Amino acid sequence: LALALSRPRGEDNIISEEEAAQYDRQIRLWGLDAQKRLRGSRVLLVGLRGLGAEVAKNLILAGVKGLTLLDHEQVTEESRRAQFLIPVDADGQNQAQASLERAQLLNPMVEVKVDTDAVESKLDDFFFRFDAVCLTRCSKDLMVRVDQLCASRNIKVFCGDVYGYHGYMFSDLGQEHHYVEEKPKVVKGSNEANDGPEAKKRKVDPNETTMVKKTISFCSLKEALEVDWTNEKAKSSLKRTPADYFLLQVLLKFRTDKGRDPQPDSFAEDSQLLLQIRDDVLETMGLSSELLPNTFVSYCFSEMAPVCAVVGGVLGQEIVKALSQRDAPHRNFFFFDGLKGSGVVDYFGSK
Amino acid sequence: MGFQYTNIKLEWKCLRKELADSLSSCRVLVVGAGGIGCELLKNLVLTGFKNIEVIDLDTIDVSNLNRQFLFQKKHVGKSKAQVAKESVLRFCPSANITAYHDSIMNPDYNVEFFRNFQLVMNALDNRAARNHVNRMCLAADIPLIESGTAGYLGQVTVIKKGQTECYECQPKPTQKTFPGCTIRNTPSEPIHCIVWAKYLFNQLFGEEDADQEVSPDTADPEVAWNPADAAARATASNKDGDIKRVSTKEWARSTGYDPVKLFNKLFKDDIMYLLTMDKLWKKRKAPLPLDWTEIHQLESSQEEAFGTGLKDQQVLGVQGYAQLFHRSVETLRSQLIEKGEGAELVWDKDDPPAMDFVTAAANLRMNVFSMNMKSRFDVKSMAGNIIPAIATTNAVIAGLIVLEALKTLNSDFDQCRTIFLNKQPNPRKKLLVPCALDPPNPNCYVCASKPEVTVKLNVHKTIVQALQDKILKEKFGMVAPDVQIEDGKGTILISSEEGETEANNNKFLSDFGIRNGSRLQADDFLQDYTLLVNLIHSEELEKDVEFEVVGDAPDKAPAPSVPEEGKNIANGNKDSAQPSTSSKAAAEDDDVLIVDSDEEPSSSTMEASPESSNRKRKHHDADTDATASKRKRLDQQPADDDEDIIALD
């Protein structure tokens, strides 16, 4: 077990009384080992808008060792209203910097740091100091680059965004992600007919459990986004494929082309462009535009706070799972549709 | 106007354009400022809700801080509602928030109060309050969004009078109870021993309760070799014979609460007495008595305390627990003496000697009955009914609540859904599973036009107090019942006015002419709720069973669709405990439970509570709600495919 699972990275292996008291309710859920692994993990979080703030909150409360908040953008009225960490008088400040104080207060036991550089400007080795990287509001090219960089070094990579009522998260936990699952202990059935000494054996508590080791592999973001839809197998799976996957492709292309996300202020031109991009993207994939009906444009502007909460919750928990190496991770996309209230986990990429 | 509502404005044309405006003018009530409540308040203000009232009777505890993010360490001990309001105002100063440090069941919050709001959202952790708010919202005809979480699981649903099921339309499984003889004679699981230890605490140090006996039960039907013998034993134990039964407390007093004498009585003498009831041990492993002196002569097999784990998670040896028993008895004895004549202690999982005592006593009993002993950590989970909780589950659920809230403001109830959050995706890849809401149950004993129930009991053995407390309050969720007999005279049996019918409390129902077929009209005026109770007289109820509601599933059988996680077991109506933690095989089912995650409160919480007169907080026991049974899930499966985006223009 010690070989497959990384050693808890904490400098000391001891949980303090303060931690035990504060983390009590989650230790009772995921166990002390998992908490220790969390406690030894450093995470990079890029993007501190609505989704970023939710993820930051969730990771800080969970008790990671360190969280670096990276964002080069400045606070505007719009961005401030989108999240709960930035004080009301912080317009014009750097977004990550403005979020620092409140973030730190969420849990003084976590080292919260700020980086105001643009993520595109970071060199490779910047990312290597983290155990997990979470990218929000990033371009497709950057995400692909960081993913390629990190996954081979066993750095867990996560991406996520919220577009209006829709949101997604993606994870790449590497070729070999090891984790444990807690399963109920199998109690050997006693031979009821036998009244003898066998019937009087020491009882196994029906609530006793055992830990089962598992390994799972993930593909790269590049592979996940470059699925070949022209082959028969892919085509037959289309019916069960969430339209959100294609919506994501469209929005990522918009972001690359315009350097920003669709803005309510330019609704008319942006929705036109979105429809155009939809046609282009689906055509390139050899697919019909009908996969993504026109109505989609109405629902993907701006970040809805409740959608950030849902996606941020799932994403935050996936990061916790990966770092603690406990419980089966969602593989490899989660799509949330806030209109339907449905949340779907699906795999895209090489099998 | 913030940019998010611009998004809402855009796709909702015509009459729905007013949504953004109605967000800032409508008034909403959030009941509870804990795990879900904190996340919910944050989501509401960020979404644009301006007028919010929040109520919570609780104060902040350090164990809340892993998820109730509006609170910091410096706030421990303060009012949750008040601090939540202050924290929210810091990032949204324009929000208009009113905080109440109070219980929602306080009669001040009457139907008029509820009518002030366009929407009520529950963020509660106990069934009694949920039942109550359900009724208030029905009475006021205000939509209610109900929700719950436990561990990784969560659920949200919408309740609208006349259109959907109310919270009480489907019978919820009541807490599992253990027969008295299991607790007193033949425990087979650690939980039985823990329940026994809590009873013991009350018998020795707290309020003695006839339903919480700890001594061997000679009236155990299993003990007798023939029915006549059983009857004889039963009568013998009830009579004041030569062998007068001394209460456990009296006995303890007589020895000056000597820990060694106590130890030997409970774990040696009483066990040896059990051994004489030999029929019990024909097919079970017989218990092995412990002797104080003998234990301490054994080689200490205790391991060195390891520094890497939680101290509480160590499992001690028999000697260790014997020592712990000794120490805790002495400490509790001192506490009693300090409090003076007639003092009673209240068990509190956060009071170290009380927790030590239960840990020790339960483990010693487990050892006697050949069970693997449990750490203090695990015992505390079970004894204190602790439900594990994390921030992310609450965050997801609170997000879903606001999305449903937006639909209710538009009166789009046909768009509303029950949504389950699972730990793992179901076979159809869904992690979040929306299901259509069900219409009201025409036979619901709460929201039907003329609610009616039939109760089976023994009119000669049921006293009025029991009718009030166990049946009307606990079972049927009334807070302040008024009862009259439909005898043509309208005889008043129970009045909610204090003192008015106190003289009736200890009388039997039959004393009032109540017999088979009698009907009672029970009213709770605060809840605007009238329930007609038909009574069937029965002398054949099972042992330990005081009444049965006709049409209910039997209490004892655990509902098969209830997953391991969140399964609650309890003995009697006062006590609740839960097996320790971790997600078990819950992933199989789509079904998630709105779980009542009410921990046994610490005394500081109790002080803040206006109901502190009810020290046992009987109605706050945690339990499990299977609001969507397997049957329902199967019905809903095809409906999921219809969850297409409906074009709104």
Side-chain angles (χ1 to χ4, degrees):
Chain A
L1 189 72
L3 293 172
L5 297 177
S6 61
R7 230 168 247 296
R9 286 187 176 85
E11 263 97 300
D12 52 327
N13 215 5
I14 302 172
I15 288 266
S16 69
E17 290 227 5
E18 186 188 3
E19 287 168 301
Q22 183 167 318
Y23 299 139
D24 184 82
R25 297 301 186 263
Q26 60 199 41
I27 291 175
R28 287 178 192 277
L29 186 62
W30 55 53
L32 188 60
D33 249 13
Q35 189 64 45
K36 286 182 181 174
R37 286 176 213 282
L38 275 174
R39 216 181 39 144
S41 303
R42 295 186 186 280
V43 184
L44 170 67
L45 173 62
V46 176
L48 263 303
R49 285 279 284 254
L51 179 60
E54 290 284 339
V55 175
K57 157 182 63 78
N58 294 335
L59 294 178
I60 293 169
L61 292 174
V64 295
K65 181 168 180 63
L67 181 65
T68 297
L69 308 174
L70 188 151
D71 199 322
H72 68 283
E73 309 237 42
Q74 291 199 329
V75 177
T76 63
E77 190 195 355
E78 182 195 350
S79 69
R80 176 169 46 81
R81 281 165 171 270
Q83 53 117 308
F84 55 92
L85 295 175
I86 296 179
V88 288
D89 56 356
D91 288 18
Q93 286 180 33
N94 172 277
Q95 224 150 239
Q97 187 63 48
S99 306
L100 174 63
E101 188 184 341
R102 299 259 180 90
Q104 184 65 81
L105 284 173
L106 290 172
N107 186 355
M109 299 193 279
V110 176
E111 292 168 23
V112 185
K113 296 183 190 165
V114 160
D115 191 317
T116 59
D117 292 339
V119 64
E120 282 84 358
S121 71
K122 291 301 195 188
L123 301 176
D124 291 4
D125 59 6
F126 169 75
F127 300 95
F128 300 157
R129 52 185 99 156
F130 300 102
D131 301 299
V133 169
C134 179
L135 308 170
T136 73
R137 307 182 67 77
C138 293
S139 71
K140 175 177 168 180
D141 288 343
L142 177 99
M143 295 197 287
V144 166
R145 174 197 155 213
V146 173
D147 175 52
Q148 270 165 351
L149 204 52
C150 291
S152 54
R153 286 168 177 263
N154 200 31
I155 299 171
K156 312 298 177 185
V157 175
F158 299 87
C159 309
D161 277 301
V162 168
Y163 309 98
Y165 274 89
H166 296 270
Y168 87 98
M169 69 143 269
F170 164 85
S171 60
D172 179 359
L173 306 187
Q175 297 274 333
E176 271 191 4
H177 175 72
H178 305 291
Y179 65 97
V180 292
E181 272 186 330
E182 194 174 358
K183 298 268 187 212
K185 230 180 206 159
V186 177
V187 180
K188 292 216 171 82
S190 59
N191 191 350
E192 301 243 345
N194 189 348
D195 275 354
E198 275 72 49
K200 301 175 183 182
K201 263 198 202 90
R202 176 174 289 260
K203 277 217 160 38
V204 177
D205 181 355
N207 295 313
E208 273 178 33
T209 57
T210 186
M211 300 301 242
V212 178
K213 282 156 49 186
K214 298 224 171 136
T215 305
I216 194 172
S217 82
F218 285 73
C219 71
S220 69
L221 178 62
K222 189 169 177 12
E223 284 175 62
L225 292 177
E226 290 176 4
V227 171
D228 175 14
W229 294 99
T230 56
N231 70 61
E232 280 313 306
K233 196 162 178 227
K235 278 217 174 90
S236 64
S237 73
L238 260 181
K239 190 158 189 282
R240 294 183 314 277
T241 300
D244 290 314
Y245 174 78
F246 302 108
L247 176 60
L248 172 63
Q249 299 271 18
V250 170
L251 290 163
L252 285 177
K253 179 114 198 348
F254 186 104
R255 192 182 267 174
T256 299
D257 291 353
K258 295 289 274 184
R260 61 170 174 83
D261 286 346
Q263 300 273 38
D265 279 354
S266 32
F267 178 74
E269 41 172 300
D270 283 359
S271 41
Q272 274 297 97
L273 183 56
L274 281 168
L275 290 172
Q276 185 61 54
I277 292 177
R278 186 257 333 250
D279 292 339
D280 293 344
V281 162
L282 289 174
E283 194 189 346
T284 311
M285 290 178 167
L287 299 169
S288 155
S289 286
E290 284 169 16
L291 276 175
L292 198 54
N294 288 3
T295 46
F296 83 87
V297 300
S298 304
Y299 306 108
C300 62
F301 282 70
S302 174
E303 273 182 312
M304 292 273 292
V307 179
C308 292
V310 173
V311 178
V314 175
L315 176 49
Q317 195 53 35
E318 286 309 291
I319 299 174
V320 165
K321 265 194 219 170
L323 294 172
S324 63
Q325 292 184 270
R326 177 161 168 139
D327 290 330
H330 298 328
R331 186 170 176 266
N332 53 358
F333 280 90
F334 167 75
F335 294 108
F336 177 62
D337 181 333
L339 291 157
K340 294 185 194 172
S342 82
V344 165
V345 172
D346 210 347
Y347 182 82
F348 292 88
S350 55
K351 292 284 171 189
Chain B
M1 186 68 70
F3 291 85
Q4 355 207 1
Y5 345 129
T6 312
N7 190 45
I8 301 168
K9 261 188 187 156
L10 282 170
E11 84 278 0
W12 277 329
K13 311 263 175 78
C14 306
L15 63 91
R16 277 110 186 230
K17 193 172 78 170
E18 283 88 43
L19 178 63
D21 300 322
S22 71
L23 276 183
S24 42
S25 65
C26 76
R27 297 177 64 177
V28 299
L29 174 65
V30 175
V31 189
I36 295 177
C38 285
E39 292 282 340
L40 182 53
L41 288 170
K42 174 252 301 166
N43 292 342
L44 286 169
V45 301
L46 289 181
T47 304
F49 287 82
K50 285 260 172 277
N51 303 300
I52 303 169
E53 300 195 14
V54 58
I55 180 168
D56 195 312
L57 49 67
D58 225 348
T59 56
I60 298 162
D61 180 71
V62 63
S63 66
N64 300 149
L65 301 178
N66 79 319
R67 64 202 184 277
Q68 299 175 22
F69 77 98
L70 296 176
F71 312 140
Q72 296 165 42
K73 201 145 182 209
K74 65 183 186 184
H75 297 130
V76 170
K78 296 192 173 172
S79 150
K80 286 190 178 184
Q82 191 57 41
V83 176
K85 166 187 170 174
E86 285 161 16
S87 298
V88 169
L89 286 176
R90 299 188 75 214
F91 62 86
C92 190
S94 59
N96 175 20
I97 305 180
T98 308
Y100 302 91
H101 182 196
D102 206 346
S103 163
I104 192 62
M105 293 164 81
N106 181 324
D108 288 350
Y109 309 110
N110 55 15
V111 177
E112 276 314 299
F113 171 81
F114 276 81
R115 284 214 182 98
N116 283 324
F117 304 102
Q118 281 69 58
L119 175 64
V120 176
M121 289 162 279
N122 273 347
L124 287 166
D125 63 2
N126 71 88
R127 178 178 291 176
R130 286 187 167 123
N131 288 346
H132 182 74
V133 174
N134 179 49
R135 293 165 190 203
M136 300 308 288
C137 289
L138 288 170
D141 198 1
I142 307 289
L144 168 64
I145 302 184
E146 183 50 85
S147 63
T149 60
Y152 300 110
L153 309 179
Q155 184 179 351
V156 178
T157 193
V158 178
I159 295 170
K160 172 78 173 101
K161 177 178 177 172
Q163 294 199 27
T164 74
E165 282 191 342
C166 83
Y167 182 69
E168 297 172 89
C169 271
Q170 295 296 338
K172 307 255 184 329
T174 46
Q175 296 171 57
K176 182 174 172 186
T177 61
F178 300 111
C181 38
T182 304
I183 300 298
R184 297 165 70 178
N185 292 359
T186 49
S188 56
E189 292 178 32
I191 185 62
H192 305 150
C193 302
I194 291 169
V195 169
W196 178 87
K198 288 180 69 180
Y199 286 2
L200 181 63
F201 178 93
N202 283 341
Q203 297 291 59
L204 289 175
F205 305 106
E207 191 181 328
E208 286 170 276
D209 189 326
D211 290 335
Q212 297 187 350
E213 280 296 336
V214 292
S215 48
D217 182 6
T218 48
D220 184 343
E222 259 202 77
V223 172
W225 283 96
N226 57 65
D229 191 13
R233 282 171 185 268
T235 7
S237 70
N238 287 337
K239 269 194 193 141
D240 275 352
D242 290 316
I243 307 155
K244 187 177 162 62
R245 187 135 266 164
V246 177
S247 85
T248 313
K249 192 178 256 189
E250 279 166 8
W251 184 89
R253 272 211 196 101
S254 72
T255 69
Y257 284 88
D258 181 325
V260 176
K261 289 203 174 125
L262 257 172
F263 181 97
N264 281 330
K265 170 180 167 30
L266 296 165
F267 305 112
K268 179 175 159 188
D269 300 341
D270 282 354
I271 303 303
M272 288 172 70
Y273 186 81
L274 280 177
L275 286 170
T276 66
M277 295 149 78
D278 49 337
K279 187 157 184 258
L280 293 178
W281 316 115
K282 257 324 194 184
K283 292 195 180 175
R284 295 186 184 91
K285 186 167 193 334
L288 303 165
L290 297 172
D291 178 272
W292 179 268
T293 322
E294 274 174 34
I295 286 177
H296 289 83
Q297 279 166 355
L298 291 170
E299 285 291 310
S300 172
S301 59
Q302 208 156 309
E303 283 161 28
E304 280 298 307
F306 265 104
T308 59
L310 287 177
K311 189 160 141 274
D312 270 11
Q313 284 186 317
Q314 285 168 44
V315 181
L316 307 179
V318 159
Q319 284 170 336
Y321 289 120
Q323 287 302 327
L324 190 62
F325 181 82
H326 196 289
R327 275 202 314 275
S328 57
V329 167
E330 287 184 326
T331 310
L332 292 167
R333 176 179 65 193
S334 317
Q335 279 185 15
L336 262 186
I337 290 169
E338 242 183 80
K339 286 186 104 175
E341 190 64 41
E344 280 169 0
L345 303 181
V346 178
W347 192 77
D348 171 6
K349 72 180 185 306
D350 294 318
D351 174 43
M355 192 58 232
D356 283 343
F357 176 82
V358 165
T359 303
N363 271 308
L364 290 166
R365 191 165 173 85
M366 282 186 239
N367 183 266
V368 162
F369 285 89
S370 304
M371 293 178 226
N372 290 329
M373 294 189 285
K374 295 278 178 190
S375 67
R376 194 178 194 276
F377 187 80
D378 286 348
V379 173
K380 188 172 183 182
S381 262
M382 290 184 254
N385 196 35
I386 297 176
I387 296 202
I390 52 178
T392 53
T393 310
N394 287 327
V396 173
I397 292 306
L400 295 174
I401 293 172
V402 171
L403 289 168
E404 291 303 303
L406 292 173
K407 298 177 202 172
T408 65
L409 283 192
N410 261 352
S411 296
D412 277 337
F413 295 105
D414 50 333
Q415 295 295 314
C416 292
R417 298 283 180 264
T418 294
I419 306 180
F420 298 98
L421 167 64
N422 290 335
K423 187 177 179 190
Q424 290 293 330
N426 70 9
R428 297 164 78 226
K429 307 187 199 170
K430 293 194 179 188
L431 186 69
L432 288 169
V433 190
C435 300
L437 298 172
D438 288 320
N441 172 10
N443 297 319
C444 175
Y445 72 82
V446 173
C447 72
S449 52
K450 289 198 189 303
E452 201 171 319
V453 286
T454 303
V455 177
K456 218 191 258 186
L457 47 69
N458 186 326
V459 299
H460 303 298
K461 293 204 172 155
T462 307
I463 57 173
V464 171
Q465 179 100 62
L467 170 70
Q468 176 187 269
D469 292 345
K470 297 194 175 158
I471 301 180
L472 295 173
K473 287 186 173 180
E474 259 181 69
K475 177 68 185 174
F476 293 122
M478 294 193 175
V479 173
D482 283 275
V483 182
Q484 61 189 38
I485 309 174
E486 299 219 327
D487 55 2
K489 297 176 270 173
T491 307
I492 294 179
L493 197 57
I494 299 172
S495 163
S496 57
E497 284 297 320
E498 203 164 321
E500 260 184 36
T501 50
E502 210 169 311
N504 293 350
N505 284 349
N506 286 310
K507 296 197 178 141
F508 296 110
L509 297 183
S510 50
D511 293 344
F512 296 88
I514 292 171
R515 54 196 169 86
N516 189 45
S518 289
R519 283 151 71 90
L520 306 175
Q521 178 182 314
D523 291 286
D524 186 313
F525 289 111
L526 178 65
Q527 297 173 348
D528 195 16
Y529 175 46
T530 298
L531 178 66
L532 200 60
V533 182
N534 298 296
L535 292 176
I536 292 181
H537 169 72
S538 169
E539 313 212 333
E540 261 139 50
L541 291 168
E542 276 178 59
K543 185 173 190 277
D544 288 349
V545 174
E546 284 199 54
F547 68 93
E548 257 174 48
V549 176
V550 174
D552 263 9
D555 268 359
K556 302 265 172 68
S561 61
V562 173
E564 287 278 348
E565 176 151 355
K567 178 164 73 173
N568 259 352
I569 37 189
N571 197 45
N573 293 318
K574 296 151 211 150
D575 198 84
S576 46
Q578 201 167 16
S580 56
T581 94
S582 350
S583 51
K584 305 266 173 19
E588 270 83 88
D589 266 357
D590 269 358
D591 306 310
V592 173
L593 323 163
I594 292 185
V595 176
D596 292 338
S597 48
D598 188 36
E599 298 177 4
E600 292 244 1
S602 60
S603 9
S604 58
T605 309
M606 300 271 280
E607 254 111 77
S609 160
E611 299 136 17
S612 54
S613 54
N614 179 8
R615 297 305 266 173
K616 292 207 175 91
R617 288 196 28 165
K618 295 172 188 172
H619 54 276
H620 280 257
D621 290 331
D623 48 23
T624 304
D625 305 331
T627 52
S629 63
K630 229 172 200 144
R631 164 189 61 82
K632 188 190 267 201
R633 174 176 65 94
L634 292 172
D635 287 344
Q636 299 306 338
Q637 289 263 359
D640 288 356
D641 282 328
D642 295 336
E643 305 290 335
D644 294 324
I645 295 176
I646 299 159
L648 289 169
D649 47 61

